[in-house]
Structures are given as C-alpha cells and as structure tokens.
Amino acid sequence: RKEVEQDPGPFNVPEGATVAFNCTYSNSASQSFFWYRQDCRKEPKLLMSVYSSGNEDGRFTAQLNRASQYISLLIRDSKLSDSATYLCVAPGGGSQGNLIFGKGTKLSVKP
Amino acid sequence: GAVVSQHPSWVICKSGTSVKIECRSLDFQATTMFWYRQFPKQSLMLMATSNEGSKATYEQGVEKDKFLINHASLTLSTLTVTSAHPEDSSFYICSARAPPMNTEAFFGQGTRLTVV
C-alpha cells in the first residue's frame, strides 16, 4: 500500500458545485495531516491542517477518520480560482519532520 | 508567516555542467530542510533531508555524489546538481518546518531546471 493515496482525478466541475477529494494513508501512527494546494509550476501552499476529527475554514471542510486511515477535503460553492492540484500530505516516518505527498488531484472549475 | 526563499527560480544549463540551488529561511532558523523533486504530473518526491552542520540524509535511489547538499548555516541549504544530464530536468523545491515541528511546511518558490 502506498503511503499516501489520492483520487486520481481530474475533477471537472461547474462553478458553484460541491466537490470532495479523498485520501488514504498507511502509517497508522500519523497524528497530523495537511491539504496543500499547488498551482501549475508553483510551489505548494498550505490550504488546511487536519489535526483531529476535522475542521472547517469557510468553503473548505477537512475530515479525518483514524479508524479507516482516511482524510477528505470538501469544497463548497466552487470558484474558478479553486482550479488547482490538491495534495494530501501526511508526516513521514522519520524523526526530522519530513512530509509525504500524495500525487495530487487536479480540479478544474469551469464557468 | 514563515518564509522560505529559493533561488534561482529557473535555470537552463548545458549537459555536463553543475547547477547550484539555494534555499534560505528568511525569518526563522531551520536546522533541517528538505529537498524535493517533482517531474511533470508526478508527486513531490523527497530527495534528501539537509541537516545543519552534518551530512544530509538521502532517500533510496538518490545519488549523494550527484546531488550535493550543504547546510552550512541555520538559514541556508544548497543543492548542487553535478554533471547534469537531460534526465535531471525537473522542478526542484525545498522546504522547512518552522518550530514546533508539527506545523505546516513552508516551501521555497521552486527551481525549474532544464538541462539541454
């Protein structure tokens, strides 16, 4: 099982749609997770941290299910500017704080 | 928030030459920095962990003699791609996590390397 697996995508949705991304992780000892957003040819930028059962930030809701080792990201009322690749990120197994990235899910929001 | 600056943002070099990429933490001290590589439509893959004042830790399959990492100060890590070949063309990106360790990772702007 790969360390972090995501929906392959791409997701093509109209403006205003609700879209959900899923992610599974293999290290059951992992405590904190992140969703990053990466625009084409740019560095990843933090979208949300997921520390406990889940959290919400405006149109974005992240949920964590430790029993199933599953993380999700829900985007409501999609905007054109939400078009990007969304990366699910889990802590690496090392003690130095490296992160493991999923392959990312590409989202295209159309007018 | 914490800022990580990477330079250059893009570089084109001839096959066989070496390229140095710098990664600086601007407003915090980073004893550890991470170097990633991303090929088109692929995930970021950790290449190595850079440790201030000691040798870098390389991931399996990454040649330490080809990708030289130096972390001479608490705010600067460098990655040198030696004897670059076209297959080394990629997006190289560094990151650091500001204390405490469970916070988000901050990324440099990335360096797009093209070897011709």
Side-chain angles (χ1 to χ4, degrees), chain B:
Chain B
V3 178
V4 174
S5 178
Q6 187 173 340
H7 177 82
S9 56
W10 62 270
V11 59
I12 301 173
C13 71
K14 290 185 177 180
S15 188
T17 61
S18 296
V19 174
K20 180 187 280 188
I21 302 169
E22 293 187 349
C23 181
R24 296 179 184 273
S25 56
L26 298 184
D27 53 1
F28 66 99
Q29 293 183 333
T31 55
T32 302
M33 290 186 176
F34 305 97
W35 287 96
Y36 293 86
R37 179 168 55 182
Q38 186 177 35
F39 291 107
K41 299 186 179 181
Q42 297 292 316
S43 177
L44 278 82
M45 295 300 295
L46 181 65
M47 297 176 66
T49 301
S50 173
N51 303 299
E52 187 270 334
S54 65
K55 291 183 178 180
T57 304
Y58 289 82
E59 295 300 300
Q60 191 173 10
V62 178
E63 299 176 57
K64 62 180 181 180
D65 295 329
K66 180 172 181 63
F67 298 99
L68 302 179
I69 290 174
N70 184 282
H71 195 150
S73 77
L74 288 172
T75 60
L76 175 63
S77 175
T78 61
L79 168 68
T80 301
V81 183
T82 63
S83 187
H85 290 284
E87 57 265 31
D88 297 325
S89 299
S90 188
F91 187 58
Y92 293 85
I93 191 163
C94 68
S95 83
R97 300 178 81 177
M101 292 299 288
N102 62 350
T103 59
E104 68 186 276
F106 296 93
F107 288 87
Q109 299 91 330
T111 298
R112 190 157 300 279
L113 171 64
T114 302
V115 184
V116 297

Side-chain angles (χ1 to χ4, degrees), chain A residues 37-65:
Chain A
R37 168 194 170 129
Q38 186 176 25
D39 293 287
C40 187
R41 295 178 176 261
K42 298 285 188 181
E43 75 275 22
K45 293 187 177 178
L46 181 69
L47 178 65
M48 294 184 74
S49 302
V50 188
Y51 289 111
S52 55
S53 61
N55 45 294
E56 183 175 318
D57 182 4
R59 299 182 293 111
F60 300 87
T61 301
Q63 295 207 316
L64 168 64
N65 183 320

Side-chain angles (χ1 to χ4, degrees), chain A residues 25-97:
Chain A
Y25 61 94
S26 60
N27 185 356
S28 59
S30 298
Q31 294 296 309
S32 56
F33 304 87
F34 308 92
W35 282 101
Y36 276 77
R37 168 194 170 129
Q38 186 176 25
D39 293 287
C40 187
R41 295 178 176 261
K42 298 285 188 181
E43 75 275 22
K45 293 187 177 178
L46 181 69
L47 178 65
M48 294 184 74
S49 302
V50 188
Y51 289 111
S52 55
S53 61
N55 45 294
E56 183 175 318
D57 182 4
R59 299 182 293 111
F60 300 87
T61 301
Q63 295 207 316
L64 168 64
N65 183 320
R66 292 190 188 278
S68 301
Q69 295 180 209
Y70 169 95
I71 308 160
S72 66
L73 176 67
L74 183 75
I75 304 176
R76 291 180 296 277
D77 189 22
S78 300
K79 310 291 184 189
L80 297 177
S81 57
D82 293 334
S83 297
T85 296
Y86 290 83
L87 305 170
C88 177
V89 183
S95 60
Q96 294 178 308

